[in-house]
Amino acid sequence: PDTTDNLELGIKGFLLDTRLLLQASVYQIDWKNVQPYFSQGLPDPFGLGIDFPINGTTNGPNARSTGAELSARYRINQNWSASFSGATTEAEWTSTLTRCTYVANNRPEDCRTWTAGGQLNGAPKLKYTGGLRYNRMVAGGYEVSSSVSRRWVDRSGNDLTDSPTAGTLYYPAYALVNANVGLAKGPWSTTLWVQNLPNARALVSLS
């Protein structure tokens, strides 16, 4: 089995006479006996001139994830409020390990080595969302509201790397802008949403 030790320090509460709600934290996760996938070819077992692939999971080296998160909402005045949330994270191997499921025909290249400093990709290093909201009461007991928000996601690698110098494929960074306008009275409300205003086409999968 793999195990993790999770350390986190955070703060949550109101400031500025409750006009500002703030949540923030920093964390570190030490991951022991990480379970990465493993692929090794059995050298030409049937005399056909091709290797027979054996794929699976093994225990790799140790790793560490570090990051920070921030979420805030600020009431500017009776009608306007602003919000922001963001997170940053990074993970890498903290030890070096060579793993051989088996050694056949004296081919050391059949073994796999993970080197300290290699990246554990899969999540963007930085992402954030910022928004602005307006609402007010009007005649007849109606409440009108509208908001706009922008979400930005940094590029992220699609796979882990075996060493600090190994290349990887990246999903490019992208931004999405959403907006809405609403009308409410008593227990009833209706809202018109417009999502992805710039019609961005984010790349989310590749092979």
Side-chain angles (χ1 to χ4, degrees), residues 103-110:
V103 179
N105 294 357
N106 295 317
R107 298 199 318 183
E109 65 272 16
D110 288 336

Side-chain angles (χ1 to χ4, degrees), residues 54-194:
I54 297 177
N55 304 314
T57 303
T58 187
N59 286 110
N62 299 330
R64 173 174 291 168
S65 302
T66 56
E69 299 173 341
L70 171 67
S71 178
R73 185 175 71 245
Y74 179 66
R75 179 166 52 85
I76 302 172
N77 55 36
Q78 184 177 355
N79 303 117
W80 291 92
S81 62
S83 61
F84 176 86
S85 62
T88 178
T89 186
E90 189 169 7
E92 64 180 29
W93 302 119
T94 55
S95 61
T96 297
L97 178 69
T98 297
R99 181 71 71 190
C100 303
T101 302
Y102 57 87
V103 179
N105 294 357
N106 295 317
R107 298 199 318 183
E109 65 272 16
D110 288 336
C111 302
R112 184 166 185 174
T113 298
W114 296 276
T115 304
Q119 297 295 307
L120 278 66
N121 293 303
K125 289 187 177 181
L126 177 64
K127 60 181 179 180
Y128 68 82
T129 300
L132 191 64
R133 178 178 174 84
Y134 173 82
N135 69 290
R136 68 175 298 170
M137 300 298 298
V138 295
Y142 288 93
E143 181 183 13
V144 294
S145 62
S146 61
S147 68
V148 62
S149 64
R150 182 179 188 269
R151 178 172 183 252
W152 185 83
V153 179
D154 197 3
R155 72 172 190 167
S156 61
N158 77 318
D159 203 354
L160 56 84
T161 60
D162 291 350
S163 71
T165 58
T168 187
L169 295 174
Y170 283 93
Y171 302 116
Y174 66 90
L176 299 176
V177 178
N178 302 320
N180 70 77
V181 58
L183 179 67
K185 183 178 182 180
W188 296 93
S189 66
T190 180
T191 304
L192 175 65
W193 291 85
V194 180

Side-chain angles (χ1 to χ4, degrees), residues 18-73:
T18 73
R19 295 176 65 181
L20 175 64
L21 172 62
L22 182 67
Q23 302 177 75
S25 66
V26 293
Y27 66 86
Q28 176 177 298
I29 302 173
D30 290 316
W31 193 0
K32 299 178 182 178
N33 295 322
V34 179
Q35 296 180 351
Y37 62 84
F38 187 89
S39 177
Q40 188 170 353
L42 185 64
D44 194 16
F46 307 114
L48 301 176
I50 57 174
D51 288 355
F52 183 77
I54 297 177
N55 304 314
T57 303
T58 187
N59 286 110
N62 299 330
R64 173 174 291 168
S65 302
T66 56
E69 299 173 341
L70 171 67
S71 178
R73 185 175 71 245

